[in-house]
Amino acid sequence: MTVRSEVDSAFVVVCSGEFDQDTVGSLQLTCDRETAGGKQLVLDVKNVTFADSSFLNTLIRLRNTRPLALAGPLPDQLHRLLDLTGALALFEMHESGEQQAG
């Protein structure tokens, strides 16, 4: 994961690889430590190759603590997870840097 600060006080966390119960702790820790004080958190998830319910729970926890958007395009598996659980509508979506309704 990498973190970058944007000009509008948003923090972008670039996620790549697999996220499950063994790896989501590092995402949560990174978001808590590195993005404190930002107006918005953007998770760039286009390179996520696998995500399970623990990743979904982490996304929802983060969303409940600060403004959160997902930058994509969403990988197919992550899109299915969010769609099947009804969580897709919870997140603001940014496609290729553009804000989109989600």
Side-chain angles (χ1 to χ4, degrees), residues 13-72:
V13 177
V14 180
C15 303
S16 60
E18 298 183 0
F19 289 88
D20 58 24
Q21 70 179 11
D22 294 327
T23 57
V24 294
S26 62
L27 173 61
Q28 182 74 49
L29 190 60
T30 297
C31 291
D32 290 344
R33 285 187 180 171
E34 303 294 328
T35 66
K39 290 182 181 175
Q40 182 177 35
L41 175 61
V42 177
L43 294 182
D44 182 339
V45 295
K46 68 179 169 268
N47 293 316
V48 171
T49 57
F50 175 80
D52 69 3
S53 61
S54 57
F55 184 71
L56 175 59
N57 287 333
T58 299
L59 292 180
I60 292 170
R61 276 195 302 271
L62 289 169
R63 179 190 174 274
N64 288 339
T65 61
R66 69 193 87 186
L68 173 67
L70 301 179

